[in-house]
Amino acid sequence: MDAIDAVDAADGTAPSSGTAPSGGTGLSGRTESIGRGPRGGAPGRWPRRAAALLGACHPGPTAAVTLLITGLAVAAGQDASGCALVAAAVLTGQLSVGWSNDALDAARDTTAGRSAKPVVRGAVSARAVGAAALIALALCVPLSLAYGRLAGAVHLVGVAAAWTYNLRLKSTVLSWLPYAVGFAALPVFVTLGLPGQPRPAWWIVTAAALVGIGAHLGNVLPDIDSDLALGVRGWPQRLGPARTRLLLPAPLVAATVLLVLGRPGALSAVAVAVALVAGIGGSLMGRHRPRLPFLAAILVAGVDVALLLWQGTALS
């Protein structure tokens, strides 16, 4: 999943958790660009527009998920060509999710005043971002299936779940489900592309789903009040900021414990301690520092990924 709305704090872009607008902005809609020049423009504008388009893909989470899942493929013993396919498939999937999020949420982001978003400040149009999302999705399909039909199908289910979140589910009580499905699909995708198509251990898949749920809670937490004002009522918004902040560490620490119990190692106790301190500390301090719980969630997720990398072939 893509990831998903995750890790936007890492690249300075405010996360957006609103639903796709049903009006004049969307994958085929348009947000007017501020100060936009004549069609074609000067050659010097293209680098700026390309940079704006890149900024609209949620580059932090896109890069992080791509690198981490490629790392899992390496740790699982995949060969160089297989790892390249994993990287390409995950990258295009994440690009499609990030771009579709900004294209579909352009109207709500504008209303909320999220000027860090390239579409909101007019650096790139919603139509261009939506077109990029569809192109990335079209590329993701053959790249995923090239890694293996079954593996590719699993990855595409995860990407579809993320798109479903962007299109509809983020404003429902089931907003957590696409995150759980999208994150759980990633280790399954990696392992099914290995020789013999081994199935990953259940505790790895469950831990990945729990990390996804934690990422959802942490991503939405800073924007709950503004989301409610815009009529967005996903699961965290219904819980409210106080309960969401207290709940946030639970799925993340549970994921760490599952990974440790599934294959204990020398660093197991350290991993659990770091997860507990970061998760609970971030939750308690989040009342005064709204971004801190999400950053703590990233740290705990990093601990979980490090456990998988440390365990190497545990994925298969």
Side-chain angles (χ1 to χ4, degrees), residues 52 66 85 93 146 161 194 231 250 260 308 312:
T66 301
L85 276 175
L194 294 170
V260 166
L308 287 175

Side-chain angles (χ1 to χ4, degrees), residues 79-109:
D79 60 25
S81 61
C83 290
L85 276 175
V86 167
V90 173
L91 176 61
T92 52
Q94 291 299 304
L95 286 171
S96 78
V97 172
W99 277 325
S100 66
N101 180 272
D102 271 24
L104 291 166
D105 281 359
R108 291 188 187 274
D109 288 340

Side-chain angles (χ1 to χ4, degrees), residues 1 5-7 15 17 165 172-180 183 209-224 227 234-253 282-283 290-298:
M1 133 110 343
D5 277 338
V7 203
S17 52
Y165 175 87
T172 73
V173 72
L174 295 177
S175 62
W176 59 272
L177 185 58
Y179 272 79
F183 275 68
L210 288 169
V211 170
I213 294 172
H216 176 44
L217 293 171
N219 181 51
V220 173
L221 178 58
D223 293 326
I224 287 180
D227 285 342
W235 179 47
Q237 289 89 350
R238 294 167 194 246
L239 289 174
R243 283 186 288 181
T244 298
R245 185 171 56 252
L246 291 175
L247 179 62
L248 175 57
L252 297 170
V253 174
S283 176
R291 296 285 178 196
L292 194 57
F294 184 57
L295 294 176
I298 296 173

Side-chain angles (χ1 to χ4, degrees), residues 9-310:
D11 63 333
T13 303
S16 169
S17 52
T19 54
S22 57
T25 302
L27 288 181
S28 60
R30 179 184 297 272
T31 294
E32 292 301 325
S33 296
I34 299 173
R36 198 172 168 189
R39 188 179 182 119
R45 292 179 179 174
W46 285 108
R48 292 196 297 272
R49 290 178 182 175
L53 184 62
L54 179 62
C57 80
H58 300 206
T62 295
V65 172
T66 301
L67 290 173
L68 292 175
I69 300 307
T70 304
L72 291 181
V74 174
Q78 183 58 269
D79 60 25
S81 61
C83 290
L85 276 175
V86 167
V90 173
L91 176 61
T92 52
Q94 291 299 304
L95 286 171
S96 78
V97 172
W99 277 325
S100 66
N101 180 272
D102 271 24
L104 291 166
D105 281 359
R108 291 188 187 274
D109 288 340
T110 300
T111 302
R114 291 168 179 150
S115 58
K117 297 277 189 178
V119 174
V120 174
R121 67 175 183 265
V124 65
S125 70
R127 183 186 295 260
V129 175
L134 294 174
I135 292 171
L137 181 62
L139 291 172
C140 179
V141 174
L143 287 170
S144 298
L145 295 176
Y147 188 64
R149 290 186 180 179
L150 183 57
V154 169
H155 183 239
L156 292 175
V157 167
V159 173
W163 272 74
T164 303
Y165 175 87
N166 288 340
L167 288 165
R168 171 62 182 164
L169 289 184
K170 71 173 67 175
S171 194
T172 73
V173 72
L174 295 177
S175 62
W176 59 272
L177 185 58
Y179 272 79
V181 172
F183 275 68
L186 291 171
V188 181
F189 169 58
V190 169
T191 59
L192 288 178
L194 294 170
Q197 296 183 322
R199 273 55 172 175
W202 68 268
W203 42 271
I204 290 179
V205 179
T206 305
L210 288 169
V211 170
I213 294 172
H216 176 44
L217 293 171
N219 181 51
V220 173
L221 178 58
D223 293 326
I224 287 180
D225 291 336
S226 62
D227 285 342
L228 289 172
L230 292 170
V232 179
R233 291 183 53 80
W235 179 47
Q237 289 89 350
R238 294 167 194 246
L239 289 174
R243 283 186 288 181
T244 298
R245 185 171 56 252
L246 291 175
L247 179 62
L248 175 57
L252 297 170
V253 174
T256 307
V257 172
L258 265 179
L259 292 170
V260 166
L261 293 179
R263 177 167 287 194
L267 297 179
S268 296
V270 175
V272 172
V274 170
L276 284 169
V277 171
I280 296 176
S283 176
L284 294 176
M285 297 176 66
R287 183 175 180 180
H288 304 290
R289 297 177 179 270
R291 296 285 178 196
L292 194 57
F294 184 57
L295 294 176
I298 296 173
L299 176 59
V300 179
V303 169
D304 296 337
V305 172
L307 282 172
L308 287 175
L309 296 173
W310 183 266

